[in-house]
Amino acid sequence: MYKKMKLRLLPVSLGLAIATLLPGCGLFNKKGSASEKANRRGEVTGVPKRASWSQNLPIDMVPIKAGTFWMGQSDEDIAYTQSSMNKQITISEFFMDKYEVSNNKYRQFLEAVKNGELATGTPTTLKDPPNLNYEDLRPDTTVWSTSFSYHYGDPLMEFYFDHPAFDNYPVVGISWDQAKQYCEWRTYHLRANDDSDFDVPSFRLPSEAEWEYAAKGGKDVAKYPWGGPYLKNKRGCLMANFKPGRGNYIDDGFAYTAPVDVFSPNGFGLYNMSGNVAEWVMDAYKATSRVDTWDLDPVYDDPNEPRKIVRGGSWKDIAHYLETSTRTYEYQDVAQAHIGFRTAMTFMGRSGSMDVKSTKRTRR
């Protein structure tokens, strides 16, 4: 009985095997054969057998879906700057760092430059490595004393960047120019170690519009990343690291900066979009730039303007600077004890919906 059933199943198994293998050989692939025949007839059907490619989500980044929001003032303009007028903006998909760049991540960048190890493994990118100077990239640790009048910042000046106790704290003392060079290195580091035939998009600073859209966490109008209008949750805990009251720095749990992964993330899963350290963005500063820029993926890029926009407020700022609409600036070659940064990456396929698979990391 068993032998008879085995003999009956044998032709079925062979048929299934043939049906599985032959399409792979192109024998039953009607679409492929039709395309080849059309090419031979002089038709244009595209280059055959192009390698497929999908964009992976880099580690510690989150996908930001496309959307439309009201960019600009969400509360009273107490400084009367008139530099944050409301405008409806559409933002395409992009990836953004979940955390501010930490001391230890920036240290990896410095060691790679210092040791001449911009790439490990076999580079697949066709682009040359960036030309970086180690001495020009070190954080300015003196900012802990020079940024403030009559302030005892010597312990932080000595230990903040170099000591392991601060590895997971945001890097500070970084100028806009140095942040841009970190993005260049991170781009090359990924491309040189990725086995894909095509380069991934560059890491970069987020545009001001991208930053504000991400900070709102999916809310159309939000005073703070958690919504607002309050600075405390229902348990009475402060929602960010800033300067409460008239100088009660420790009320939020940290007199200076805090680790990059404390306090609750916003609706997009981003940490410390308000407070901790203010963040460099891509745009140059102009009070009326909102009028000049387009309403789809705007960026005000003026290489002749040395003032660059800083967003988010910091551990030393009052609550006004924590608002998602507050704009301020610093000169691009100036480093401060309260300014850090995070990076962004363009999603390939900006005019369409983000592929769900792109939000998952795959082993390379």
Side-chain angles (χ1 to χ4, degrees), residues 136-180:
D136 295 337
L137 299 172
R138 283 187 55 81
D140 181 5
T141 57
T142 65
V143 295
W144 288 108
S145 290
T146 59
S147 293
F148 315 105
S149 300
Y150 301 105
H151 166 251
Y152 182 53
D154 291 3
L156 289 170
M157 184 172 65
E158 182 178 357
F159 295 114
Y160 185 79
F161 181 70
D162 293 316
H163 200 282
F166 294 101
D167 274 357
N168 201 37
Y169 284 64
V171 66
V172 296
I174 299 298
S175 68
W176 185 84
D177 294 324
Q178 289 171 313
K180 292 263 290 185

mmCIF file of all heavy atoms in Angstrom, residues 136-180:
data_model
loop_
_atom_site.group_PDB
_atom_site.id
_atom_site.type_symbol
_atom_site.label_atom_id
_atom_site.label_comp_id
_atom_site.label_asym_id
_atom_site.label_seq_id
_atom_site.Cartn_x
_atom_site.Cartn_y
_atom_site.Cartn_z
ATOM 1 N N ASP A 136 40.857 69.959 13.710
ATOM 2 C CA ASP A 136 39.758 70.892 13.455
ATOM 3 C C ASP A 136 38.413 70.343 13.914
ATOM 4 O O ASP A 136 37.410 71.072 13.891
ATOM 5 C CB ASP A 136 39.668 71.216 11.959
ATOM 6 C CG ASP A 136 40.888 71.970 11.463
ATOM 7 O OD1 ASP A 136 41.564 72.608 12.304
ATOM 8 O OD2 ASP A 136 41.172 71.906 10.248
ATOM 9 N N LEU A 137 38.368 69.086 14.299
ATOM 10 C CA LEU A 137 37.093 68.430 14.587
ATOM 11 C C LEU A 137 36.827 68.195 16.062
ATOM 12 O O LEU A 137 35.706 67.872 16.447
ATOM 13 C CB LEU A 137 37.036 67.079 13.847
ATOM 14 C CG LEU A 137 37.136 67.160 12.330
ATOM 15 C CD1 LEU A 137 37.266 65.772 11.726
ATOM 16 C CD2 LEU A 137 35.905 67.866 11.761
ATOM 17 N N ARG A 138 37.858 68.342 16.892
ATOM 18 C CA ARG A 138 37.672 68.093 18.322
ATOM 19 C C ARG A 138 36.688 69.099 18.929
ATOM 20 O O ARG A 138 36.725 70.288 18.578
ATOM 21 C CB ARG A 138 39.003 68.181 19.066
ATOM 22 C CG ARG A 138 39.880 66.958 18.903
ATOM 23 C CD ARG A 138 41.110 67.035 19.800
ATOM 24 N NE ARG A 138 40.765 67.237 21.201
ATOM 25 C CZ ARG A 138 40.382 66.261 22.026
ATOM 26 N NH1 ARG A 138 40.312 65.017 21.583
ATOM 27 N NH2 ARG A 138 40.095 66.525 23.288
ATOM 28 N N PRO A 139 35.817 68.638 19.814
ATOM 29 C CA PRO A 139 34.910 69.576 20.483
ATOM 30 C C PRO A 139 35.694 70.599 21.302
ATOM 31 O O PRO A 139 36.754 70.287 21.854
ATOM 32 C CB PRO A 139 34.081 68.671 21.405
ATOM 33 C CG PRO A 139 34.249 67.294 20.868
ATOM 34 C CD PRO A 139 35.596 67.247 20.241
ATOM 35 N N ASP A 140 35.171 71.789 21.369
ATOM 36 C CA ASP A 140 35.789 72.837 22.173
ATOM 37 C C ASP A 140 35.302 72.676 23.612
ATOM 38 O O ASP A 140 34.199 73.125 23.970
ATOM 39 C CB ASP A 140 35.409 74.208 21.623
ATOM 40 C CG ASP A 140 36.038 75.346 22.410
ATOM 41 O OD1 ASP A 140 36.837 75.061 23.326
ATOM 42 O OD2 ASP A 140 35.716 76.510 22.117
ATOM 43 N N THR A 141 36.100 72.045 24.454
ATOM 44 C CA THR A 141 35.680 71.787 25.834
ATOM 45 C C THR A 141 35.710 73.040 26.696
ATOM 46 O O THR A 141 35.114 73.069 27.772
ATOM 47 C CB THR A 141 36.568 70.705 26.466
ATOM 48 O OG1 THR A 141 37.937 71.131 26.405
ATOM 49 C CG2 THR A 141 36.435 69.391 25.721
ATOM 50 N N THR A 142 36.377 74.089 26.234
ATOM 51 C CA THR A 142 36.438 75.323 27.033
ATOM 52 C C THR A 142 35.095 76.050 27.084
ATOM 53 O O THR A 142 34.932 76.983 27.874
ATOM 54 C CB THR A 142 37.501 76.281 26.476
ATOM 55 O OG1 THR A 142 37.124 76.722 25.169
ATOM 56 C CG2 THR A 142 38.867 75.607 26.410
ATOM 57 N N VAL A 143 34.144 75.607 26.257
ATOM 58 C CA VAL A 143 32.842 76.290 26.244
ATOM 59 C C VAL A 143 32.158 76.219 27.603
ATOM 60 O O VAL A 143 31.319 77.077 27.929
ATOM 61 C CB VAL A 143 31.910 75.703 25.163
ATOM 62 C CG1 VAL A 143 32.477 75.974 23.776
ATOM 63 C CG2 VAL A 143 31.690 74.205 25.371
ATOM 64 N N TRP A 144 32.505 75.198 28.404
ATOM 65 C CA TRP A 144 31.871 75.082 29.714
ATOM 66 C C TRP A 144 32.262 76.242 30.638
ATOM 67 O O TRP A 144 31.575 76.505 31.627
ATOM 68 C CB TRP A 144 32.235 73.754 30.360
ATOM 69 C CG TRP A 144 31.563 72.593 29.701
ATOM 70 C CD1 TRP A 144 32.130 71.638 28.905
ATOM 71 C CD2 TRP A 144 30.165 72.279 29.764
ATOM 72 N NE1 TRP A 144 31.182 70.749 28.472
ATOM 73 C CE2 TRP A 144 29.966 71.124 28.981
ATOM 74 C CE3 TRP A 144 29.072 72.859 30.394
ATOM 75 C CZ2 TRP A 144 28.718 70.533 28.823
ATOM 76 C CZ3 TRP A 144 27.821 72.285 30.238
ATOM 77 C CH2 TRP A 144 27.653 71.134 29.461
ATOM 78 N N SER A 145 33.334 76.917 30.329
ATOM 79 C CA SER A 145 33.717 78.092 31.106
ATOM 80 C C SER A 145 33.482 79.394 30.349
ATOM 81 O O SER A 145 33.033 80.387 30.924
ATOM 82 C CB SER A 145 35.195 78.009 31.507
ATOM 83 O OG SER A 145 35.401 76.998 32.467
ATOM 84 N N THR A 146 33.759 79.378 29.043
ATOM 85 C CA THR A 146 33.693 80.620 28.271
ATOM 86 C C THR A 146 32.270 81.018 27.879
ATOM 87 O O THR A 146 32.030 82.188 27.557
ATOM 88 C CB THR A 146 34.549 80.498 27.001
ATOM 89 O OG1 THR A 146 34.075 79.392 26.214
ATOM 90 C CG2 THR A 146 36.014 80.277 27.353
ATOM 91 N N SER A 147 31.351 80.075 27.869
ATOM 92 C CA SER A 147 29.984 80.398 27.452
ATOM 93 C C SER A 147 29.219 81.180 28.509
ATOM 94 O O SER A 147 28.168 81.757 28.221
ATOM 95 C CB SER A 147 29.215 79.117 27.120
ATOM 96 O OG SER A 147 29.737 78.493 25.970
ATOM 97 N N PHE A 148 29.733 81.182 29.744
ATOM 98 C CA PHE A 148 28.998 81.811 30.840
ATOM 99 C C PHE A 148 29.939 82.701 31.651
ATOM 100 O O PHE A 148 31.125 82.407 31.795
ATOM 101 C CB PHE A 148 28.384 80.739 31.748
ATOM 102 C CG PHE A 148 27.724 79.629 30.982
ATOM 103 C CD1 PHE A 148 28.341 78.390 30.872
ATOM 104 C CD2 PHE A 148 26.505 79.825 30.359
ATOM 105 C CE1 PHE A 148 27.753 77.364 30.159
ATOM 106 C CE2 PHE A 148 25.905 78.806 29.650
ATOM 107 C CZ PHE A 148 26.526 77.573 29.538
ATOM 108 N N SER A 149 29.393 83.765 32.205
ATOM 109 C CA SER A 149 30.187 84.684 33.024
ATOM 110 C C SER A 149 30.311 84.162 34.455
ATOM 111 O O SER A 149 29.307 83.786 35.070
ATOM 112 C CB SER A 149 29.536 86.071 33.048
ATOM 113 O OG SER A 149 29.447 86.588 31.741
ATOM 114 N N TYR A 150 31.532 84.114 34.952
ATOM 115 C CA TYR A 150 31.796 83.732 36.337
ATOM 116 C C TYR A 150 31.102 82.417 36.698
ATOM 117 O O TYR A 150 30.298 82.338 37.626
ATOM 118 C CB TYR A 150 31.339 84.854 37.293
ATOM 119 C CG TYR A 150 32.028 86.153 37.019
ATOM 120 C CD1 TYR A 150 31.353 87.186 36.372
ATOM 121 C CD2 TYR A 150 33.356 86.348 37.382
ATOM 122 C CE1 TYR A 150 31.985 88.389 36.093
ATOM 123 C CE2 TYR A 150 34.003 87.545 37.114
ATOM 124 C CZ TYR A 150 33.318 88.556 36.464
ATOM 125 O OH TYR A 150 33.950 89.744 36.187
ATOM 126 N N HIS A 151 31.440 81.402 35.920
ATOM 127 C CA HIS A 151 30.822 80.082 36.125
ATOM 128 C C HIS A 151 31.918 79.054 36.328
ATOM 129 O O HIS A 151 32.897 79.003 35.565
ATOM 130 C CB HIS A 151 29.977 79.718 34.897
ATOM 131 C CG HIS A 151 29.576 78.271 34.836
ATOM 132 N ND1 HIS A 151 30.102 77.389 33.914
ATOM 133 C CD2 HIS A 151 28.723 77.559 35.594
ATOM 134 C CE1 HIS A 151 29.575 76.200 34.098
ATOM 135 N NE2 HIS A 151 28.739 76.269 35.123
ATOM 136 N N TYR A 152 31.771 78.215 37.352
ATOM 137 C CA TYR A 152 32.786 77.197 37.623
ATOM 138 C C TYR A 152 32.507 75.968 36.757
ATOM 139 O O TYR A 152 31.895 74.993 37.178
ATOM 140 C CB TYR A 152 32.779 76.831 39.102
ATOM 141 C CG TYR A 152 33.849 75.818 39.477
ATOM 142 C CD1 TYR A 152 35.192 76.038 39.157
ATOM 143 C CD2 TYR A 152 33.523 74.645 40.133
ATOM 144 C CE1 TYR A 152 36.174 75.121 39.485
ATOM 145 C CE2 TYR A 152 34.492 73.708 40.476
ATOM 146 C CZ TYR A 152 35.820 73.958 40.151
ATOM 147 O OH TYR A 152 36.788 73.047 40.482
ATOM 148 N N GLY A 153 32.967 76.028 35.515
ATOM 149 C CA GLY A 153 32.750 74.920 34.593
ATOM 150 C C GLY A 153 33.962 74.041 34.410
ATOM 151 O O GLY A 153 33.985 73.174 33.530
ATOM 152 N N ASP A 154 34.997 74.230 35.246
ATOM 153 C CA ASP A 154 36.239 73.470 35.076
ATOM 154 C C ASP A 154 36.050 71.949 35.124
ATOM 155 O O ASP A 154 36.654 71.234 34.317
ATOM 156 C CB ASP A 154 37.270 73.893 36.124
ATOM 157 C CG ASP A 154 37.769 75.309 35.882
ATOM 158 O OD1 ASP A 154 37.257 75.948 34.946
ATOM 159 O OD2 ASP A 154 38.659 75.766 36.621
ATOM 160 N N PRO A 155 35.240 71.403 36.054
ATOM 161 C CA PRO A 155 35.068 69.939 36.062
ATOM 162 C C PRO A 155 34.497 69.405 34.753
ATOM 163 O O PRO A 155 34.960 68.385 34.230
ATOM 164 C CB PRO A 155 34.112 69.708 37.231
ATOM 165 C CG PRO A 155 34.312 70.880 38.118
ATOM 166 C CD PRO A 155 34.562 72.033 37.195
ATOM 167 N N LEU A 156 33.499 70.106 34.202
ATOM 168 C CA LEU A 156 32.928 69.670 32.929
ATOM 169 C C LEU A 156 33.910 69.886 31.785
ATOM 170 O O LEU A 156 33.989 69.080 30.850
ATOM 171 C CB LEU A 156 31.625 70.421 32.655
ATOM 172 C CG LEU A 156 30.446 70.035 33.557
ATOM 173 C CD1 LEU A 156 29.299 71.001 33.376
ATOM 174 C CD2 LEU A 156 29.994 68.621 33.262
ATOM 175 N N MET A 157 34.660 70.962 31.841
ATOM 176 C CA MET A 157 35.662 71.233 30.812
ATOM 177 C C MET A 157 36.694 70.102 30.762
ATOM 178 O O MET A 157 37.166 69.716 29.694
ATOM 179 C CB MET A 157 36.347 72.570 31.098
ATOM 180 C CG MET A 157 37.346 73.008 30.041
ATOM 181 S SD MET A 157 37.933 74.704 30.321
ATOM 182 C CE MET A 157 38.810 74.513 31.869
ATOM 183 N N GLU A 158 36.999 69.529 31.914
ATOM 184 C CA GLU A 158 38.014 68.479 31.990
ATOM 185 C C GLU A 158 37.460 67.093 31.658
ATOM 186 O O GLU A 158 38.144 66.276 31.031
ATOM 187 C CB GLU A 158 38.622 68.457 33.396
ATOM 188 C CG GLU A 158 39.740 67.434 33.572
ATOM 189 C CD GLU A 158 40.345 67.478 34.958
ATOM 190 O OE1 GLU A 158 39.930 68.347 35.765
ATOM 191 O OE2 GLU A 158 41.225 66.655 35.243
ATOM 192 N N PHE A 159 36.225 66.825 32.063
ATOM 193 C CA PHE A 159 35.733 65.451 32.001
ATOM 194 C C PHE A 159 34.591 65.203 31.014
ATOM 195 O O PHE A 159 34.365 64.067 30.606
ATOM 196 C CB PHE A 159 35.240 65.011 33.395
ATOM 197 C CG PHE A 159 36.324 64.935 34.426
ATOM 198 C CD1 PHE A 159 36.333 65.799 35.510
ATOM 199 C CD2 PHE A 159 37.348 63.999 34.316
ATOM 200 C CE1 PHE A 159 37.337 65.735 36.465
ATOM 201 C CE2 PHE A 159 38.353 63.924 35.267
ATOM 202 C CZ PHE A 159 38.352 64.793 36.343
ATOM 203 N N TYR A 160 33.825 66.235 30.629
ATOM 204 C CA TYR A 160 32.553 65.989 29.929
ATOM 205 C C TYR A 160 32.709 65.170 28.650
ATOM 206 O O TYR A 160 31.948 64.247 28.403
ATOM 207 C CB TYR A 160 31.846 67.310 29.612
ATOM 208 C CG TYR A 160 30.479 67.107 28.988
ATOM 209 C CD1 TYR A 160 29.381 66.782 29.764
ATOM 210 C CD2 TYR A 160 30.301 67.221 27.604
ATOM 211 C CE1 TYR A 160 28.133 66.579 29.200
ATOM 212 C CE2 TYR A 160 29.054 67.018 27.033
ATOM 213 C CZ TYR A 160 27.967 66.690 27.831
ATOM 214 O OH TYR A 160 26.735 66.478 27.261
ATOM 215 N N PHE A 161 33.671 65.500 27.829
ATOM 216 C CA PHE A 161 33.800 64.752 26.569
ATOM 217 C C PHE A 161 34.613 63.471 26.717
ATOM 218 O O PHE A 161 34.315 62.459 26.083
ATOM 219 C CB PHE A 161 34.430 65.625 25.480
ATOM 220 C CG PHE A 161 34.568 64.905 24.164
ATOM 221 C CD1 PHE A 161 33.455 64.582 23.406
ATOM 222 C CD2 PHE A 161 35.818 64.515 23.689
ATOM 223 C CE1 PHE A 161 33.570 63.887 22.208
ATOM 224 C CE2 PHE A 161 35.952 63.831 22.493
ATOM 225 C CZ PHE A 161 34.823 63.513 21.744
ATOM 226 N N ASP A 162 35.633 63.467 27.538
ATOM 227 C CA ASP A 162 36.575 62.345 27.587
ATOM 228 C C ASP A 162 36.205 61.242 28.573
ATOM 229 O O ASP A 162 36.622 60.095 28.396
ATOM 230 C CB ASP A 162 37.982 62.859 27.926
ATOM 231 C CG ASP A 162 38.555 63.719 26.814
ATOM 232 O OD1 ASP A 162 38.412 63.329 25.645
ATOM 233 O OD2 ASP A 162 39.114 64.788 27.110
ATOM 234 N N HIS A 163 35.452 61.539 29.603
ATOM 235 C CA HIS A 163 35.197 60.544 30.647
ATOM 236 C C HIS A 163 34.035 59.615 30.263
ATOM 237 O O HIS A 163 33.018 60.075 29.738
ATOM 238 C CB HIS A 163 34.889 61.241 31.973
ATOM 239 C CG HIS A 163 35.083 60.356 33.158
ATOM 240 N ND1 HIS A 163 34.154 59.401 33.531
ATOM 241 C CD2 HIS A 163 36.091 60.265 34.056
ATOM 242 C CE1 HIS A 163 34.575 58.767 34.608
ATOM 243 N NE2 HIS A 163 35.759 59.273 34.946
ATOM 244 N N PRO A 164 34.181 58.307 30.545
ATOM 245 C CA PRO A 164 33.104 57.358 30.206
ATOM 246 C C PRO A 164 31.772 57.665 30.890
ATOM 247 O O PRO A 164 30.721 57.237 30.395
ATOM 248 C CB PRO A 164 33.659 56.005 30.685
ATOM 249 C CG PRO A 164 35.127 56.180 30.751
ATOM 250 C CD PRO A 164 35.370 57.614 31.073
ATOM 251 N N ALA A 165 31.816 58.382 32.004
ATOM 252 C CA ALA A 165 30.571 58.717 32.700
ATOM 253 C C ALA A 165 29.631 59.538 31.827
ATOM 254 O O ALA A 165 28.414 59.546 32.040
ATOM 255 C CB ALA A 165 30.877 59.480 33.995
ATOM 256 N N PHE A 166 30.202 60.230 30.822
ATOM 257 C CA PHE A 166 29.392 61.097 29.959
ATOM 258 C C PHE A 166 29.255 60.548 28.535
ATOM 259 O O PHE A 166 28.874 61.289 27.625
ATOM 260 C CB PHE A 166 30.010 62.500 29.910
ATOM 261 C CG PHE A 166 29.974 63.228 31.229
ATOM 262 C CD1 PHE A 166 31.107 63.286 32.021
ATOM 263 C CD2 PHE A 166 28.816 63.838 31.676
ATOM 264 C CE1 PHE A 166 31.085 63.950 33.242
ATOM 265 C CE2 PHE A 166 28.784 64.502 32.887
ATOM 266 C CZ PHE A 166 29.919 64.550 33.680
ATOM 267 N N ASP A 167 29.550 59.271 28.336
ATOM 268 C CA ASP A 167 29.500 58.704 26.982
ATOM 269 C C ASP A 167 28.134 58.865 26.324
ATOM 270 O O ASP A 167 28.032 59.098 25.118
ATOM 271 C CB ASP A 167 29.878 57.222 27.008
ATOM 272 C CG ASP A 167 31.381 57.008 26.928
ATOM 273 O OD1 ASP A 167 32.112 58.003 26.803
ATOM 274 O OD2 ASP A 167 31.822 55.839 26.993
ATOM 275 N N ASN A 168 27.066 58.704 27.111
ATOM 276 C CA ASN A 168 25.723 58.741 26.538
ATOM 277 C C ASN A 168 25.070 60.112 26.655
ATOM 278 O O ASN A 168 23.863 60.247 26.494
ATOM 279 C CB ASN A 168 24.833 57.685 27.215
ATOM 280 C CG ASN A 168 23.632 57.324 26.369
ATOM 281 O OD1 ASN A 168 23.711 57.259 25.146
ATOM 282 N ND2 ASN A 168 22.493 57.100 27.007
ATOM 283 N N TYR A 169 25.866 61.122 26.914
ATOM 284 C CA TYR A 169 25.372 62.491 26.966
ATOM 285 C C TYR A 169 25.599 63.158 25.610
ATOM 286 O O TYR A 169 26.515 62.776 24.866
ATOM 287 C CB TYR A 169 26.086 63.284 28.062
ATOM 288 C CG TYR A 169 25.624 62.962 29.471
ATOM 289 C CD1 TYR A 169 25.803 61.703 30.020
ATOM 290 C CD2 TYR A 169 24.993 63.930 30.242
ATOM 291 C CE1 TYR A 169 25.372 61.407 31.314
ATOM 292 C CE2 TYR A 169 24.561 63.656 31.539
ATOM 293 C CZ TYR A 169 24.751 62.389 32.062
ATOM 294 O OH TYR A 169 24.313 62.110 33.335
ATOM 295 N N PRO A 170 24.805 64.151 25.263
ATOM 296 C CA PRO A 170 24.954 64.782 23.935
ATOM 297 C C PRO A 170 26.266 65.541 23.801
ATOM 298 O O PRO A 170 26.692 66.231 24.732
ATOM 299 C CB PRO A 170 23.756 65.730 23.861
ATOM 300 C CG PRO A 170 23.409 66.011 25.288
ATOM 301 C CD PRO A 170 23.710 64.756 26.047
ATOM 302 N N VAL A 171 26.898 65.414 22.663
ATOM 303 C CA VAL A 171 28.130 66.143 22.413
ATOM 304 C C VAL A 171 27.797 67.625 22.259
ATOM 305 O O VAL A 171 26.784 67.997 21.650
ATOM 306 C CB VAL A 171 28.863 65.605 21.167
ATOM 307 C CG1 VAL A 171 28.069 65.851 19.891
ATOM 308 C CG2 VAL A 171 30.262 66.195 21.057
ATOM 309 N N VAL A 172 28.626 68.481 22.846
ATOM 310 C CA VAL A 172 28.468 69.937 22.736
ATOM 311 C C VAL A 172 29.831 70.523 22.376
ATOM 312 O O VAL A 172 30.815 69.804 22.234
ATOM 313 C CB VAL A 172 27.927 70.565 24.036
ATOM 314 C CG1 VAL A 172 26.525 70.067 24.343
ATOM 315 C CG2 VAL A 172 28.870 70.303 25.204
ATOM 316 N N GLY A 173 29.892 71.840 22.228
ATOM 317 C CA GLY A 173 31.148 72.457 21.798
ATOM 318 C C GLY A 173 31.434 72.168 20.340
ATOM 319 O O GLY A 173 32.585 72.161 19.909
ATOM 320 N N ILE A 174 30.368 71.928 19.576
ATOM 321 C CA ILE A 174 30.481 71.576 18.157
ATOM 322 C C ILE A 174 29.880 72.692 17.316
ATOM 323 O O ILE A 174 28.724 73.091 17.518
ATOM 324 C CB ILE A 174 29.737 70.250 17.867
ATOM 325 C CG1 ILE A 174 30.340 69.107 18.674
ATOM 326 C CG2 ILE A 174 29.760 69.933 16.377
ATOM 327 C CD1 ILE A 174 31.779 68.808 18.347
ATOM 328 N N SER A 175 30.631 73.187 16.368
ATOM 329 C CA SER A 175 30.121 74.219 15.464
ATOM 330 C C SER A 175 29.264 73.585 14.370
ATOM 331 O O SER A 175 29.260 72.362 14.180
ATOM 332 C CB SER A 175 31.287 74.989 14.827
ATOM 333 O OG SER A 175 32.011 74.143 13.942
ATOM 334 N N TRP A 176 28.565 74.425 13.636
ATOM 335 C CA TRP A 176 27.756 73.964 12.495
ATOM 336 C C TRP A 176 28.655 73.302 11.451
ATOM 337 O O TRP A 176 28.294 72.271 10.881
ATOM 338 C CB TRP A 176 27.021 75.160 11.899
ATOM 339 C CG TRP A 176 26.058 74.859 10.796
ATOM 340 C CD1 TRP A 176 24.757 74.462 10.915
ATOM 341 C CD2 TRP A 176 26.300 74.974 9.378
ATOM 342 N NE1 TRP A 176 24.173 74.315 9.675
ATOM 343 C CE2 TRP A 176 25.104 74.619 8.710
ATOM 344 C CE3 TRP A 176 27.411 75.322 8.621
ATOM 345 C CZ2 TRP A 176 24.992 74.633 7.323
ATOM 346 C CZ3 TRP A 176 27.302 75.335 7.231
ATOM 347 C CH2 TRP A 176 26.104 74.986 6.598
ATOM 348 N N ASP A 177 29.829 73.871 11.228
ATOM 349 C CA ASP A 177 30.770 73.300 10.257
ATOM 350 C C ASP A 177 31.217 71.898 10.684
ATOM 351 O O ASP A 177 31.317 70.988 9.855
ATOM 352 C CB ASP A 177 31.992 74.208 10.105
ATOM 353 C CG ASP A 177 31.653 75.552 9.480
ATOM 354 O OD1 ASP A 177 30.781 75.586 8.591
ATOM 355 O OD2 ASP A 177 32.246 76.567 9.893
ATOM 356 N N GLN A 178 31.497 71.701 11.965
ATOM 357 C CA GLN A 178 31.927 70.389 12.445
ATOM 358 C C GLN A 178 30.792 69.370 12.347
ATOM 359 O O GLN A 178 31.031 68.200 12.012
ATOM 360 C CB GLN A 178 32.405 70.507 13.894
ATOM 361 C CG GLN A 178 33.725 71.254 14.041
ATOM 362 C CD GLN A 178 34.060 71.535 15.499
ATOM 363 O OE1 GLN A 178 33.216 72.000 16.265
ATOM 364 N NE2 GLN A 178 35.296 71.253 15.889
ATOM 365 N N ALA A 179 29.574 69.803 12.627
ATOM 366 C CA ALA A 179 28.430 68.900 12.498
ATOM 367 C C ALA A 179 28.265 68.433 11.050
ATOM 368 O O ALA A 179 27.957 67.270 10.790
ATOM 369 C CB ALA A 179 27.156 69.600 12.984
ATOM 370 N N LYS A 180 28.482 69.330 10.107
ATOM 371 C CA LYS A 180 28.396 68.966 8.685
ATOM 372 C C LYS A 180 29.471 67.942 8.326
ATOM 373 O O LYS A 180 29.225 67.008 7.554
ATOM 374 C CB LYS A 180 28.561 70.216 7.829
ATOM 375 C CG LYS A 180 27.420 71.201 7.942
ATOM 376 C CD LYS A 180 26.409 71.047 6.839
ATOM 377 C CE LYS A 180 26.950 71.492 5.510
ATOM 378 N NZ LYS A 180 25.914 71.446 4.453
#
